[in-house]
Amino acid sequence: MKRMSILTVFAIFFIISMPINAMQPNNYGFQGSKTNCTYSIEIETTCAQSAGTTDHVSVRFGDSEGNLIIVKHLNNPKLLYAPKGGLRRRGYGGFGRCAKDMFEASGPCMSQRVCSLYLKRVGQDDWRPGRVKVLHQQDGSRVVPVSYVFYFRTFVPENVWYGFNYC
């Protein structure tokens, strides 16, 4: 019993003597969730037959601290890559077969790495994304990855959130 009391006193002394910032979570260079940040969502569609879609696609992603961003309709894509002879047409809505698109989103700044990401598809087409990653725009120009790479490589079911939680 005496040994338990000494151990308890030692533990309390140790906790009290720690610097206050040592008990704060490490933010790995990310900003806190008190301000808004701009994110880029990079989505690559596979080259499988009928992998592209014109459906309405949504995304939601978050970190282990509970910060969450939901984009109800991904639109106005920036086409990063298209196969030879295809997709660079006026009015392109994204998610073309073999294409890599980037979409913008804003919301609370994540205090940790993005560790969960879900996609939702509403419409009649099938869609098979290859991989998705989230990037953060720092200093108005520099874009750095702030997420895991989420590998889908399967058709996304209709009208349900489908994805991964690595938190």
Side-chain angles (χ1 to χ4, degrees):
M1 185 70 174
K2 192 174 191 179
R3 190 179 289 166
M4 182 76 115
S5 299
I6 293 171
L7 187 59
T8 304
V9 169
F10 177 74
I12 291 171
F13 174 76
F14 180 74
I15 291 171
I16 291 172
S17 65
M18 286 177 63
I20 291 176
N21 64 351
M23 297 191 315
Q24 299 298 318
N26 186 349
N27 68 4
Y28 301 103
F30 299 114
Q31 298 176 2
S33 62
K34 293 177 177 52
T35 59
N36 273 352
C37 287
T38 301
Y39 295 94
S40 297
I41 302 120
E42 186 179 293
I43 300 176
E44 180 182 284
T45 299
T46 65
C47 294
Q49 287 292 79
S50 71
T53 188
T54 57
D55 287 353
H56 177 107
V57 176
S58 304
V59 66
R60 76 177 192 206
F61 57 92
D63 66 7
S64 61
E65 298 292 317
N67 296 306
L68 181 67
I69 295 176
I70 299 173
V71 182
K72 293 183 179 179
H73 185 201
L74 290 171
N75 55 17
N76 300 322
K78 177 181 178 185
L79 183 61
L80 300 179
Y81 172 79
K84 271 189 174 179
L87 300 183
R88 292 191 188 272
R89 64 182 186 270
R90 204 176 175 103
Y92 173 67
F95 314 113
R97 181 174 172 232
C98 299
K100 187 186 294 184
D101 301 300
M102 186 169 295
F103 300 87
E104 300 298 319
S106 63
C109 294
M110 302 284 173
S111 58
Q112 300 289 325
R113 186 174 199 78
V114 172
C115 54
S116 71
L117 186 135
Y118 293 87
L119 298 169
K120 185 177 183 181
R121 176 188 65 80
V122 177
Q124 300 301 314
D125 297 341
D126 286 330
W127 177 50
R128 186 175 179 177
R131 64 184 176 97
V132 180
K133 64 182 174 181
V134 179
L135 303 116
H136 176 242
Q137 292 183 348
Q138 294 181 334
D139 307 325
S141 61
R142 204 175 97 210
V143 179
V144 295
V146 292
S147 76
Y148 295 97
V149 176
F150 298 92
Y151 291 96
F152 283 82
R153 296 184 182 144
T154 187
F155 289 101
V156 173
E158 184 183 3
N159 209 25
V160 295
W161 287 108
Y162 181 78
F164 304 95
N165 184 351
Y166 298 132
C167 299

